[in-house]
Each structure stands twice: as structure tokens, then as C-alpha cells.
Amino acid sequence: LEAARLAKADQASELVREFTELEGHIGGEYARLAGYPEAVSAAIDEQYLPDGADAPLPQTETGRVLSAADKIDTLNVAFGLGQRPTGSRDPYGLRRAAIGLDRLAIEGSLSIPRELMDPEVAEFVEERFEGLLEAPVEYVRAARRASVRDLGGVARLAQALADLPEERFAPIHTAYIRASRLGEKEGGAAAQLDPALLIEEAEVEVAQALERVDSEIAAALDAGDFAAAVESAAELGPLLDRFFEDVLVVAEDRAVRANRLRLLLNVRDTLGRLGELSQIPRG
């Protein structure tokens, strides 16, 4: 808190007004001369790092937190005032701030809740991952729609999905796509699943597994255990295969049909915790 309170104090100095590239560094030196703890002085000194795609990160935990807070505040305020960069125009260095925030999350292992950013800012910041990560952009775009709370978690999930062997990813992707397409195409899904209308054994198995798997995926994502989240999701693949073989979704009975469509949409929503998987092309 002390570092945050003093972070911009050097803006009032004549030295920083004349040599703007020294902002932060001068504040850190002033804090040291004033007898503040080194943790406070170092954080003030490091608050603008990283200030480029290849620039060093803050070396202290306090410096990383202060840097992230400053970047989030800058982005939220600028976007709130309608100052989103357009084309090559970026007078406030917002792209640089967004890239710095991403690097703090990835390389600095700093936990940055996505909810701290306004929705438009979050979109802008997470778009920068497409140029920073080794994962193909389709996986990054998919992961950006996942129910992951942490900014760095988006990057780690994108990489985890991209690293999955085909035999493990295929059942998840196929189940998501088939459930989405049929559930959304037919329309008329029930608002809630009614267990009493689950007639066929295959749909009962899907419903029972879904109730367990949904909570498992949610818990694994919250814990950052993406391998466990994927393992749980993969369990639905064989069950959905049997479902589509044994169950007529578009049943004559309207209530049964609506219930089966709701079941498929629930499958879509559960697997959708891993992201918008339709963004990922498969041969």
C-alpha cells in the first residue's frame, strides 16, 4: 500500500518533468533517500516494467503487483474515456501496457483476476496473447471463452489444449460440436432438465456423468489443473457416442424432445467451460 501511495510522487519533480524517461527510477531513489524500506523503493522503481515486448520484468513481488495495478488502471480509465487504440495510433501506449500485463501473468506468474478488467479491456488484453504464445491462435481464441478466472490461466489453458494428443482431444471436440449443433439447431429445449423424462439408458448415463463431470471441470479450472479438467471432459466422449447411436433426439413426444435438447445443451455448456472449442479446426 505504501508503494502504491508513493508511486506517482516523482511526477511533481522538476527532474522527471525534464527527463520523463526517469519516472519511477527517480521516485525509487527519492524513497530510498527518505528512508522507506527497500521493498517499497524497489517497487516504485519497477512500476513501469515491463515497458516493451522484450523488456525485463520487475524482480520483486511488490513491483510486479504495483506494475499490474498501474497497467490495469491505465487501461480501464483509457477505455472508459473512449481512447481505445485504432490502427497504428496508440498515443497512450495501451498495447504496450496490455502486453506487459500478459507478460506479468505468464512470465511473472502473477495471479491477475480477469474481473479486475472492464470487459472491453479484458478482450483487448487477451487478444495480445495471440502474438505472445506458442499455441496456435485458434486455441488461444477458444481458451479466451473458458470459465477461467485468472489471466494467466487463459494462456496456460490455451497451451494445454494445443499440447493435447489428437486421441485425447478428439472425443472432447466431437462431443462439444455434436451437442452444440443439434441442441442449437432444433430449438425448443426445455429450460431445465427433468430426470423423470430420461427414458433411454444412454441418456440417463449422460445425465448422471454430466452432473459429476461439470463440478469436476469447474473445480479443476479454479485450481489451475488443466490436465484434470481435460481428463474429466474426455469421459463424456464415449457416452455421447452411445447416446447418438441409441437415442432419437427429435422424439415425437414434445416434452421428451425438449428434455433431450436440454441435455445436449448442458453437455455443450459443461464442455464449454474449457472454451469455445468450435474455434479449433480439425481435419
Side-chain angles (χ1 to χ4, degrees), residues 38-51:
E38 178 57 26
V40 172
S41 302
I44 295 171
D45 194 354
E46 298 176 324
Q47 65 180 291
Y48 295 104
L49 297 177
D51 54 4

Side-chain angles (χ1 to χ4, degrees), residues 16-146:
V16 168
R17 290 180 185 177
E18 187 170 353
F19 302 100
T20 56
E21 70 275 11
L22 294 179
E23 61 182 358
H25 301 303
I26 295 302
E29 288 303 313
Y30 285 167
R32 290 185 180 95
L33 292 172
Y36 285 96
E38 178 57 26
V40 172
S41 302
I44 295 171
D45 194 354
E46 298 176 324
Q47 65 180 291
Y48 295 104
L49 297 177
D51 54 4
D54 300 317
L57 297 180
Q59 294 300 300
T60 66
E61 180 69 17
T62 306
R64 290 192 288 273
V65 171
L66 184 58
S67 173
D70 182 58
K71 289 171 172 54
I72 290 171
D73 182 62
T74 297
L75 287 160
N76 281 343
V77 171
F79 272 67
L81 294 173
Q83 297 298 320
R84 181 184 178 119
T86 56
S88 60
R89 186 175 179 277
D90 186 10
Y92 302 108
L94 301 183
R95 291 189 182 92
R96 183 172 64 248
I99 291 172
L101 201 57
D102 286 341
R103 291 188 59 208
L104 287 166
I106 304 168
E107 301 168 40
S109 300
L110 185 65
S111 179
I112 303 174
R114 299 167 82 186
E115 65 183 5
L116 293 179
M117 298 175 284
D118 293 337
E120 191 179 6
V121 171
E123 285 285 324
F124 180 77
V125 170
E126 292 169 15
E127 282 174 0
R128 308 307 116 192
F129 277 140
E130 296 180 11
L132 288 175
L133 301 178
E134 294 182 2
V137 294
E138 295 87 356
Y139 290 85
V140 178
R141 290 169 184 169
R144 284 170 52 202
R145 296 291 175 262

Side-chain angles (χ1 to χ4, degrees), residues 138-239:
E138 295 87 356
Y139 290 85
V140 178
R141 290 169 184 169
R144 284 170 52 202
R145 296 291 175 262
S147 55
V148 177
R149 297 179 182 177
D150 183 73
L151 179 62
V154 175
R156 293 191 294 275
L157 176 58
Q159 196 63 59
L161 290 172
D163 291 343
L164 275 179
E166 173 64 12
E167 63 271 15
R168 291 179 62 201
F169 183 64
I172 300 172
H173 189 274
T174 301
Y176 177 85
I177 295 300
R178 295 182 75 181
S180 298
R181 286 178 178 171
L182 187 54
E184 295 168 2
K185 175 184 175 182
E186 294 299 328
Q192 293 182 327
L193 188 70
D194 184 353
L197 293 175
L198 298 173
I199 302 168
E200 302 290 343
E201 182 180 352
E203 62 182 333
V204 172
E205 289 180 351
V206 170
Q208 291 175 343
L210 194 61
E211 187 173 350
R212 172 177 51 81
V213 167
D214 186 72
S215 59
E216 288 178 355
I217 293 176
L221 290 177
D222 281 346
D225 190 348
F226 303 117
V230 169
E231 289 294 339
S232 295
E235 293 181 33
L236 293 176
L239 297 178

Side-chain angles (χ1 to χ4, degrees), residues 234-272:
E235 293 181 33
L236 293 176
L239 297 178
L240 261 292
D241 286 342
R242 184 183 174 192
F243 174 89
F244 284 115
E245 288 179 4
D246 297 353
V247 177
L248 177 62
V249 176
V250 189
E252 291 186 10
D253 187 305
R254 286 189 176 183
V256 171
R257 179 171 68 247
N259 204 53
R260 288 173 179 171
L261 291 171
R262 170 45 54 192
L263 180 60
L264 290 178
L265 292 179
N266 287 353
V267 170
R268 176 204 63 186
D269 293 343
T270 291
L271 294 179

